[in-house]
Amino acid sequence: MSPVSGANVGSPETNVVRVEDGVSVGFSVTVAVRNYLAVQHLWSALRSARMCDERESELVAAGEINVDLGHRADAINAVLSAVAFLEAFVNETFSDAAEPDGSNYRTDGLSTAVVEQMAQFWTGGAVPVERGMPVLRKYQLALLCAGKPPLDTGSGPGQAVGVLIELRNALVHFMPKTQDVASAHKLEKDLKPRITPNRQTIGAPWYPNSALAAGCARWACETAMELVDEWQKRMGLVYDYQKSLHDMQTP
């Protein structure tokens, strides 16, 4: 007599198993979860930008003219998280191309040929991209795989993201350097026209005192989102990260 009746033993799709009286049946189940963090990084950036703006308003109202550590930390966190969003988003798309299992959705809208070419690059083709390649080059490479025109890095979102990444690198790979407060920092030329400076009546130097503030935090978020919006449109991708963001609580 068969110990199991009506069961498709070994099938992961089996939901109900009927067992003869007095017979014990054991099952070993492996559950796999695929996590995505890009939108979480964006949410973190937006939250930090909001907190930075609120704190800046408090400082201005109080007439505070000195650097506030929490205010500056929120600005820095917004910049770092905005670039982390850019990094994670393109990585997730390449990774879904390299590990298709029928449920990955970052590549929806791309042809099989495009997905296969992206997978070859990601898994160690002529230009392995999983580690070490600059983030903007990953976006450009994906467009190349899709036969689409590259992003213009001399204007628009492509140029702005270049400045954003330069700022991120200056923060992450910081090295102290004696600076004449009357002289412009190397970031000032590219950054100053793009952001609203600190609303506090704060002293020199412009970077970081006026730069690392609410206007910069907000710009970092907007810049990262604008580039991803443009890239997704060019690629023809179906997935909309903004819907995922909307489904989360307000940052």
Side-chain angles (χ1 to χ4, degrees), residues 9-225:
V9 180
S11 170
E13 299 178 356
T14 301
N15 295 316
V16 179
V17 178
R18 301 179 180 86
V19 182
E20 298 286 353
D21 290 343
V23 176
S24 296
V25 178
F27 292 92
S28 176
V29 179
T30 300
V31 178
V33 178
R34 191 170 184 82
N35 287 314
Y36 298 95
L37 276 179
V39 181
Q40 172 66 71
H41 284 310
L42 176 58
W43 188 93
S44 298
L46 291 167
R47 180 176 183 272
S48 293
R50 174 184 60 80
M51 293 172 64
C52 189
D53 185 66
E54 291 174 356
R55 181 58 179 158
E56 192 168 305
S57 294
E58 293 172 358
L59 295 169
V60 171
E64 179 60 67
I65 63 172
N66 295 310
V67 172
D68 181 83
L69 294 180
H71 171 253
R72 178 172 288 184
D74 289 333
I76 292 172
N77 290 339
V79 170
L80 299 184
S81 292
V83 178
F85 162 63
L86 286 169
E87 293 268 10
F89 197 86
V90 70
N91 287 351
E92 287 171 0
T93 308
F94 268 104
S95 183
D96 270 16
E99 304 174 46
D101 64 4
S103 62
N104 301 349
Y105 53 88
R106 289 291 197 275
T107 57
D108 288 355
L110 302 180
S111 69
T112 300
V114 171
V115 171
E116 289 177 350
Q117 187 162 14
M118 290 178 67
Q120 289 176 8
F121 282 121
W122 185 254
T123 55
V127 186
V129 297
E130 185 173 1
R131 295 288 183 269
M133 179 178 283
V135 61
L136 270 175
R137 286 186 61 191
K138 292 181 185 180
Y139 281 94
Q140 301 286 41
L141 181 59
L143 289 167
L144 178 64
C145 290
K148 305 296 182 180
L151 296 164
D152 183 359
T153 57
S155 64
Q159 184 185 48
V161 163
V163 176
L164 175 59
I165 292 172
E166 185 180 1
L167 174 59
R168 187 280 307 266
N169 290 344
L171 294 171
V172 172
H173 307 294
F174 176 80
M175 292 184 290
K177 183 179 180 180
T178 302
Q179 180 182 350
D180 182 346
V181 295
S183 300
H185 188 275
K186 64 178 182 178
L187 281 170
E188 186 171 338
K189 177 183 176 182
D190 292 329
L191 193 58
K192 195 170 186 177
R194 301 177 182 278
I195 67 170
T196 302
N198 193 343
R199 301 194 304 273
Q200 292 175 267
T201 305
I202 198 165
W206 185 87
Y207 178 88
N209 291 355
S210 291
L212 296 180
C216 182
R218 183 169 53 252
W219 167 79
C221 297
E222 293 170 351
T223 295
M225 293 171 71

